[in-house]
Amino acid sequence: MLVNNQETMTIKARRELQLERLKWSVRHAYQQVPHYQKSFDAVGFHPRHLAGLEDIKHIPFLTKQDMRDAYPYGLFAVGLDRVVRIHSSSGTTGNATIVGYTDHDIRVFSEVVARALACYGVTRSDVVQVAYGYGLFTGGLGLHYGVERLGAMAVPMSGGNTERQLMLIRDLGTTAIACTPSYALNIADAIADRYGDYDLSNTSLRLGILGAEPWSEQMRLEIERRLGIDAYDIYGLSEVIGPGVAAECRAKSGLHIFEDHFYVEVVDPETGEVLPEGEPGEIVYTSLTKEACPVIRYRSRDITRLYRDTCECGRTLLKMEKVFGRSDDMLIVRGVNVFPSQIEAVLMEIEGTEPHYQIVLDRRDAMDEIEIRVEVNNALFCDELKGLETLKKRIVQRMKSALSLSARITLVEPLSLARSQGKAKRVVDLRRI
Amino acid sequence: MHVTQLSVFLENKPGHLARILEILSEQGINIVTLMIADTSDFGVIRMLTSDSDKAAQVLRDYQFTCSLTDVLALEVDDSPGALYKVLNTVLDAGLNIEYMYTFNEKRRDKVVMIFRFDQIEPAGRVLEATGYSVVHRSDIFGD
């Protein structure tokens, strides 16, 4: 375990550290980035007004749109000659977001990922196959540098090519795989469907480092069962640094936030009001140590809950629950707010397996309609029609009682719904707003 | 006492049933009887085949969802009222029939019917005790 002082210090000592770093970071952003200077001046905020941590609430928010508008280098706080790397977040609508790292930032990035790995019990003797995409995406290189920083062995496979992934797991003695939860299930499916001779229990694979998309507790149990591993959550976002903002520990009970580097708040997504610890809301990030691209009060659009407990791992870091979903993943159907991840959780509860599903939204006569198409796999299949009808009814009832959602359910054959290797595309929205 | 029936889940789309039949024929599996139960969105095909385990394996390899169910094959007189008598026997014993269908093998003046009971063992015993002939797998496939 790489538990160093930073992870186990008392709350009081940490708050002092945070305040000192926050003052530096806010001043650095104000002095070096015209956007921050303008937005702070507009509300009459000056860095010297930061006397205590709670004064942060006077600082205006930074939004995703601000980041897009700053494309490419508008939010950079250092000369480009000091920037040693950039990454980009996938931009499906509008401009992508470019984030930069100085030498120092890369060391911080590597360290927080290394800490995450240590949280899961990864050590220098582990062989970590990095199956996140290498490239502009922060996942691949982020994990890679963290593995090297820890001193374990990095196998830079990047994503895809499942046959090769399996071969290396077997031949190189891979002990841990870092990939998305969707891809982990993809690997399990591939072994079941195409590589029946491949015996995972004969390999050294014992651990999964999964993230880059929301995933439910049931999905974790299915991945653990089918791959015979412990599956842990790694969390982050490229706007803040990449993976390594927070990580679960062996207790698998909430993610520890590395709050000596990232100051977090939870706010009401409608009003922006800061909510007390324990309340669910939108998580807002402020970097404490980043040089090239400081982020001050960034609205992440991720919804979760912050809390403190006494963790058996000994870390005194603030915890967050697994992210429920992005506030912009959120669907509003006839006035009801729902996340695809919640729908997934309901489906998984019903038979204990994760059926492949797709949500299709449409509008008829000014009324929203939601159809959930569920693949009937061998576990769900019933020889009698009434069994299948009962299954449909049960799903309809559970959607109603758990999520207040009136959904139409269509049972479909396996493989009839589109698959993808990266983040699963679950929602088809045919409504024209 | 029971015979193994293969059930396959099928969407109501052109060509899907044909595909299943094609796969089974490629594997040299003979379908002895078949029936399709349908709803508006999907259907369930039920069949008796010469090798139900192999058929299930092959169809799963092709990503079809299927299951194997134990059913009872019973000889019934080919005359008015014969089926009614069977049902009465079953009702009196408090047993429930989920579904049934005929089997195209006429034996003298009897037909063979396939029954899915919710409790196959007691149903088989009651019917045999009443004097009915349960048809065994070996009678159908000769193995």
Side-chain angles (χ1 to χ4, degrees):
Chain A
M1 278 228 286
L2 187 87
V3 180
N4 51 36
N5 298 347
Q6 311 280 53
E7 297 180 73
T8 56
M9 54 183 9
T10 64
I11 309 229
K12 181 166 179 297
R14 189 174 292 113
R15 286 212 214 282
E16 284 167 9
L17 175 66
Q18 287 177 322
L19 182 57
E20 194 186 303
R21 288 181 169 181
L22 183 65
K23 284 177 175 173
W24 171 83
S25 186
V26 168
R27 192 170 291 274
H28 176 61
Y30 181 79
Q31 283 169 350
Q32 306 298 338
V33 183
H35 169 89
Y36 286 120
Q37 182 167 80
K38 253 182 51 206
S39 79
F40 289 10
D41 287 348
V43 300
F45 178 86
H46 188 275
R48 66 174 175 270
H49 296 153
L50 205 57
L53 288 173
E54 63 286 353
D55 295 326
I56 196 176
K57 67 178 186 265
H58 300 299
I59 300 180
F61 292 119
L62 180 76
T63 66
K64 183 69 179 176
Q65 194 54 46
D66 292 333
M67 289 200 153
R68 289 200 191 108
D69 293 342
Y71 179 88
Y73 299 125
L75 290 172
F76 278 51
V78 300
L80 291 183
D81 59 316
R82 286 194 55 207
V83 176
V84 298
R85 191 198 303 177
I86 60 117
H87 277 298
S88 166
S89 68
S90 48
T92 45
T93 54
N95 285 333
T97 300
I98 303 291
V99 291
Y101 304 76
T102 59
D103 214 23
H104 162 88
D105 294 337
I106 296 284
R107 280 200 298 278
V108 170
F109 190 9
S110 312
E111 179 178 313
V112 294
V113 177
R115 276 194 203 174
L117 296 170
C119 278
Y120 316 134
V122 178
T123 68
R124 304 177 60 84
S125 12
D126 276 287
V127 178
V128 184
Q129 194 153 316
V130 183
Y132 287 112
Y134 277 67
L136 290 172
F137 172 53
T138 50
L141 285 167
L143 260 294
H144 184 103
Y145 274 62
V147 171
E148 288 185 355
R149 170 69 179 76
L150 186 71
M153 186 199 297
V155 179
M157 249 310 277
S158 193
N161 201 340
T162 307
E163 190 167 346
R164 196 108 192 275
Q165 302 271 5
L166 290 174
M167 188 185 85
L168 293 183
I169 290 173
R170 186 193 59 209
D171 298 343
L172 299 184
T174 300
T175 56
I177 185 157
C179 62
T180 62
S182 297
Y183 191 56
L185 282 176
N186 223 281
I187 292 177
D189 286 345
I191 294 175
D193 301 339
R194 301 197 295 281
Y195 307 110
D197 292 338
Y198 189 87
D199 187 4
L200 253 182
S201 59
N202 242 350
T203 67
S204 306
L205 194 69
R206 63 180 183 84
L207 208 146
I209 301 151
L210 313 185
E213 58 187 16
W215 51 302
S216 62
E217 199 50 50
Q218 286 97 329
M219 205 162 163
R220 187 217 301 270
L221 293 174
E222 189 187 348
I223 291 169
E224 292 188 331
R225 178 177 54 85
R226 295 178 68 193
L227 295 179
I229 59 174
D230 273 303
Y232 295 101
D233 201 356
I234 186 163
Y235 172 77
L237 51 181
S238 54
E239 297 91 327
V240 175
I241 203 166
V245 173
E248 281 184 325
C249 63
R250 305 274 286 266
K252 287 179 189 163
S253 143
L255 294 97
H256 289 286
I257 300 175
F258 298 126
E259 52 172 336
D260 49 325
H261 288 289
F262 313 110
Y263 186 76
V264 294
E265 307 163 82
V266 152
V267 304
D268 181 321
E270 303 292 303
T271 65
E273 180 206 336
V274 177
L275 299 170
E277 257 172 39
E279 292 265 327
E282 182 180 345
I283 189 167
V284 170
Y285 292 98
T286 302
S287 64
L288 299 177
T289 52
K290 284 214 309 174
E291 293 181 335
C293 295
V295 279
I296 310 295
R297 294 201 97 203
Y298 174 63
R299 298 275 302 247
S300 68
R301 295 149 307 140
D302 277 348
I303 308 287
T304 185
R305 199 175 67 86
L306 300 176
Y307 63 102
R308 286 197 193 274
D309 66 11
T310 310
C311 193
E312 62 191 59
C313 72
R315 292 174 176 85
T316 57
L317 297 163
L318 181 63
K319 279 184 167 175
M320 60 183 265
E321 282 187 12
K322 263 160 142 353
V323 169
F324 308 159
R326 287 276 177 142
S327 61
D328 55 2
D329 263 358
M330 190 171 75
L331 305 169
I332 307 180
V333 181
R334 289 194 218 162
V336 173
N337 293 350
V338 67
F339 290 100
S341 56
Q342 290 175 307
I343 290 180
E344 182 176 302
V346 170
L347 289 175
M348 288 209 62
E349 250 179 86
I350 289 183
E351 279 306 314
T353 60
E354 193 227 4
H356 286 280
Y357 69 95
Q358 192 177 63
I359 300 165
V360 181
L361 298 164
D362 206 344
R363 186 166 278 163
R364 289 275 153 92
D365 304 322
M367 285 277 272
D368 286 339
E369 285 192 351
I370 178 168
E371 180 196 0
I372 304 174
R373 313 186 65 218
V374 183
E375 285 187 5
V376 179
N377 56 30
N378 286 310
L380 289 177
F381 183 53
C382 235
D383 165 62
E384 289 144 43
L385 290 188
K386 73 179 187 198
L388 292 167
E389 289 298 320
T390 304
L391 172 68
K392 259 172 86 162
K393 281 207 187 90
R394 223 155 111 220
I395 299 175
V396 166
Q397 253 159 33
R398 286 292 299 145
M399 290 295 164
K400 189 95 200 144
S401 61
L403 307 174
S404 305
L405 202 64
S406 298
R408 183 160 68 89
I409 307 295
T410 307
L411 299 179
V412 300
E413 284 171 24
L415 286 196
S416 55
L417 300 175
R419 294 281 192 282
S420 64
Q421 265 169 357
K423 306 185 190 189
K425 172 137 175 84
R426 297 292 195 195
V427 183
V428 175
D429 195 331
L430 303 170
R431 301 175 293 184
R432 312 238 172 284
I433 309 292
Chain B
M1 165 191 295
H2 61 265
V3 174
T4 307
Q5 169 195 268
L6 174 69
S7 309
V8 190
F9 177 85
L10 198 59
E11 274 183 82
N12 277 352
K13 291 206 175 118
H16 286 226
L17 175 57
R19 183 79 186 109
I20 290 173
L21 298 176
E22 184 184 9
I23 291 166
L24 294 177
S25 89
E26 271 168 18
Q27 296 293 321
I29 292 170
N30 191 34
I31 300 171
V32 165
T33 190
L34 165 155
M35 76 98 120
I36 300 179
D38 64 304
T39 71
S40 51
D41 306 322
F42 60 83
V44 177
I45 316 173
R46 300 176 181 130
M47 344 178 209
L48 295 187
T49 59
S50 52
D51 189 341
S52 48
D53 288 329
K54 181 170 174 206
Q57 184 54 54
V58 160
L59 287 173
R60 283 183 185 144
D61 286 345
Y62 280 93
Q63 309 301 327
F64 281 98
T65 291
C66 49
S67 68
L68 296 170
T69 314
D70 290 340
V71 295
L72 198 72
L74 197 72
E75 263 189 1
V76 178
D77 267 343
D78 184 13
S79 59
L83 185 57
Y84 174 62
K85 277 221 199 81
V86 174
L87 255 50
N88 267 329
T89 307
V90 162
L91 264 175
D92 287 342
L95 296 161
N96 184 41
I97 298 174
E98 302 290 354
Y99 54 76
M100 60 175 131
Y101 51 99
T102 55
F103 179 174
N104 287 345
E105 187 185 282
K106 177 120 179 199
R107 300 156 160 227
R108 298 176 296 278
D109 48 356
K110 296 205 195 287
V111 291
V112 178
M113 295 220 39
I114 306 297
F115 290 85
R116 165 97 166 104
F117 287 101
D118 60 349
Q119 288 167 83
I120 194 172
E121 301 290 326
R125 283 197 296 274
V126 162
L127 288 164
E128 274 186 332
T130 316
Y132 286 98
S133 284
V134 168
V135 178
H136 296 272
R137 191 203 142 71
S138 50
D139 295 337
I140 302 172
F141 296 108
D143 53 24

